[in-house]
Amino acid sequence: MNIQLMPLAPEDREQFIKDNQEAFNYGALEEFGRRDDHFEEEGEIISRETIENAIDTGEAYRIMQDGRAVGGAVIRVDGERGDLDLLFVSPRVHSKGIGYAAWCAVEKLHPEVTVWETVTPYFEKRNIHFYVNRCGFHIVEFFHSRHPDPNDPDAQSNGPEDVGMFRFEKRMDR
C-alpha cells in the first residue's frame, strides 16, 4: 500500500477541516443516528475551532494514497512525548489499512518519541478498536463529568452532555 504523509499545504486547510468533520460525523451518526446530541457545534461532532487549534499548534499532514488525499493527521511532539491530536480517514476508504499505515508513518517521522498519547470519545468503538488492537495503545484513563480532563478547560462545564473520553498511551519499545 502506497501511503504517504504530506505536510498540510495552506491552500488545502479548508478541505482538511471539512474532511475531518465528515469523518468524525460519520462515526457519531453510525453510533447514534440523526438524534445525536454529542456535537461540539451545530451539526459537527468536532468543531472548526478544535481542528484549527490543532492545526495551528501541531504538525498537520494529509494522508495520501496514490496521489489522492484520503485523510489527515495532526501531531505534537515535545522531546520524547508525542500527542496524536487528530487522525482521520475518509469513510469512503475505511477498512483498507490506511489508518494503520498512516500511524506507522507517524511513528517513523518521530523515532525520538517514547510515549504517544491520544484521546477518543467513549462511543467511537471503531477508534477504540483501532488504537488498542491495531496500533498497540492502552487505555489509561477515562474522563467524564466526575473525572474531567485537566487539559480541557471546557470539561468542567459539560453537564448532562458529558461525552466521556478515553485517554490512550503507547509506550514505544526501544
Side-chain angles (χ1 to χ4, degrees):
M1 176 175 308
N2 184 18
I3 295 297
Q4 294 178 309
L5 297 180
M6 302 296 291
L8 181 63
E11 62 272 12
D12 194 32
R13 182 182 174 108
E14 186 62 28
Q15 190 61 52
F16 182 95
I17 292 167
K18 289 178 181 175
D19 292 349
N20 187 315
Q21 289 179 319
E22 175 192 25
F24 276 66
N25 287 352
Y26 178 85
L29 294 174
E30 187 175 67
E31 180 67 24
F32 297 110
R34 293 277 170 207
R35 63 174 180 75
D36 190 87
D37 63 352
H38 294 87
F39 293 90
E40 282 189 11
E41 68 182 32
E42 188 62 37
E44 302 297 343
I45 283 291
I46 186 168
S47 71
R48 168 177 287 279
E49 180 182 356
T50 297
I51 299 167
E52 288 180 338
N53 184 54
I55 292 169
D56 293 342
T57 60
E59 299 172 31
Y61 297 93
R62 267 305 205 175
I63 301 170
M64 306 296 289
Q65 180 183 34
D66 301 322
R68 216 178 71 223
V70 294
V74 179
I75 60 174
R76 285 181 294 125
V77 174
D78 184 14
E80 295 184 349
R81 294 199 65 86
D83 285 305
L84 175 61
D85 285 341
L86 298 170
L87 177 64
F88 66 94
V89 173
S90 168
R92 291 179 290 285
V93 292
H94 276 177
S95 301
K96 297 186 183 323
I98 294 168
Y100 180 70
W103 174 247
C104 291
V106 166
E107 287 182 351
K108 287 178 185 165
L109 271 179
H110 289 284
E112 74 278 15
V113 173
T114 59
V115 178
W116 283 99
E117 184 175 311
T118 195
V119 296
T120 201
Y122 80 92
F123 61 81
E124 287 284 5
K125 293 175 190 167
R126 184 179 184 86
N127 290 358
I128 295 165
H129 162 76
F130 174 74
Y131 290 126
V132 173
N133 298 324
R134 292 286 291 147
C135 298
F137 281 81
H138 297 277
I139 297 171
V140 294
E141 200 163 13
F142 181 62
F143 298 124
H144 53 88
S145 59
R146 292 196 176 120
H147 180 72
D149 181 346
N151 300 311
D152 182 357
D154 297 327
Q156 309 291 336
S157 62
N158 286 348
E161 288 127 25
D162 181 25
V163 170
M165 300 286 279
F166 284 110
R167 182 173 72 88
F168 300 84
E169 282 186 358
K170 180 176 182 179
R171 298 191 175 273
M172 306 301 290
D173 296 328
R174 302 281 182 227

